[in-house]
Amino acid sequence: MWVIFDDQSSFTDRRGDAGCRHRIPRRALTDSAYRYIVVAPNADTMDEWWRKVSETQLDYKRHSPDFFTYAKVKPHLVVPDMKNMMFTLLHDRDSRVFSTFSQQHRTDHISGKTYYIRAKGNPKVYWSQYTDGYIHASKTCRTRFRIQIDGDDKNKVMIGEDFVTVSSATDPNSRLDVESTNALCMSSRGCRIRFSDFKNNFLAEVNGTVEPFVVKIDRAGEAWELVD
C-alpha cells in the first residue's frame, strides 16, 4: 500500500502476507482529511501508476518512491484504466483510529542515476566489470553503473517497458553490450535493453570459474536488483 501525505507528515510501509506492499496518500491542502491507503501488487505497479500520473497536468508530487502529495483530484480518479490497484479512504486525522506501518527501504529507480546491480537471490553477488571487459558475477568486487532511459535526459521513474542504456558510472563511453556468445561486456558501441530484463533475462553462467560471466538469456535468467 502507498499513502499520499502532506509534506510535513510521517509515513510508513508494510509488506503483507501475499507480497503486497503498503503505503498511505494524503491530501496536500490539509493533513486532517482525505488520506488514502493505496494497495498495489508490487512496487513496479506503483511506479507504472506514477509514470501515468506524472504525464498529466495534475498537482501531484512524488517526494520519494513511496511518499506522494496531491490536491483536488483524488488518487482513485487519476488513472482509471489501472484495475489492479485499490484506494481506501482512511479515517480523518482527528478521529480515534490511527493507522501505522513499519517502513522498508526500496531503491528509487530514477533515470540517469548510478547503481550497483545485485543478485536478488544472493545479495552478496554483484555485477563487476573485469579488466577483460566482461561483466562477471562477483562476491569480492563490484562496479557502479549509470542507467538511463534511452534518448531521454529527464529524471523519470524507470518502468519495465522502458528501453535503457547501461554505462560505466565513471566513463559514459563504456556501455553495456551483448557479444555473439551472449556474454555481457562493456564497449564503446553498447546496446539498449529493456528495464524489465533485470527481472529474468540475465544469468550468472557457472562454467567452472570462481566468478562466472553474466550472460543474456531470454526468460530463463535470474532476478537482479538495483541498489544505491
Side-chain angles (χ1 to χ4, degrees):
M1 298 179 189
W2 279 257
V3 188
I4 301 178
F5 286 104
D6 69 274
D7 294 1
Q8 287 74 41
S9 298
S10 60
F11 78 103
T12 47
D13 156 16
R14 178 175 61 195
R15 186 182 296 276
D17 294 337
C20 293
R21 296 181 63 90
H22 309 271
R23 302 285 189 284
I24 302 181
R26 182 187 307 193
R27 196 177 184 191
L29 299 182
T30 173
D31 66 352
S32 63
Y34 298 104
R35 298 171 300 129
Y36 288 80
I37 290 182
V38 184
V39 182
N42 49 48
D44 292 341
T45 300
M46 203 65 215
D47 285 344
E48 291 169 8
W49 174 82
W50 172 250
R51 170 68 71 82
K52 293 186 177 183
V53 171
S54 66
E55 292 172 351
T56 70
Q57 300 300 314
L58 298 175
D59 187 11
Y60 271 69
K61 293 182 180 179
R62 182 179 185 268
H63 302 276
S64 77
D66 308 311
F67 183 85
F68 307 87
T69 60
Y70 75 99
K72 296 183 180 179
V73 181
K74 296 180 176 65
H76 64 285
L77 301 175
V78 179
V79 190
D81 60 322
M82 293 192 70
K83 306 298 184 183
N84 56 345
M85 301 173 67
M86 296 186 297
F87 298 81
T88 303
L89 181 64
L90 296 179
H91 291 269
D92 293 342
R93 183 195 63 189
D94 297 328
S95 67
R96 295 177 180 174
V97 178
F98 183 75
S99 301
T100 60
F101 305 88
S102 59
Q103 171 66 12
Q104 295 180 1
H105 172 76
R106 75 177 177 98
T107 302
D108 199 1
H109 296 156
I110 299 297
S111 174
K113 290 183 61 178
T114 61
Y115 306 91
Y116 294 110
I117 301 173
R118 181 175 69 184
K120 203 166 186 178
N122 186 351
K124 294 182 180 180
V125 176
Y126 287 83
W127 282 21
S128 179
Q129 179 188 354
Y130 277 29
T131 54
D132 60 8
Y134 288 95
I135 303 299
H136 292 256
S138 175
K139 292 183 178 180
T140 59
C141 53
R142 59 186 183 178
T143 300
R144 198 161 180 85
F145 299 92
R146 188 177 305 279
I147 304 177
Q148 184 165 349
I149 297 175
D150 193 41
D152 186 272
D153 58 358
K154 298 178 181 177
N155 293 326
K156 285 185 177 179
V157 174
M158 295 180 288
I159 60 177
E161 65 187 35
D162 289 330
F163 282 104
V164 298
T165 299
V166 180
S167 61
S168 167
T170 57
D171 182 4
N173 294 317
S174 179
R175 303 182 183 92
L176 184 70
D177 205 350
V178 182
E179 281 203 339
S180 58
T181 60
N182 289 332
L184 300 189
C185 63
M186 303 300 287
S187 74
S188 58
R189 181 187 62 180
C191 68
R192 65 178 189 172
I193 62 173
R194 284 200 183 271
F195 189 61
S196 59
D197 284 343
F198 289 111
K199 294 290 184 183
N200 65 349
N201 284 349
F202 298 118
L203 178 68
E205 186 177 54
V206 179
N207 56 3
T209 60
V210 176
E211 296 185 338
F213 293 99
V214 179
V215 299
K216 191 172 190 299
I217 177 168
D218 292 341
R219 297 181 295 279
E222 56 191 304
W224 301 85
E225 60 185 353
L226 309 185
V227 293
D228 296 321

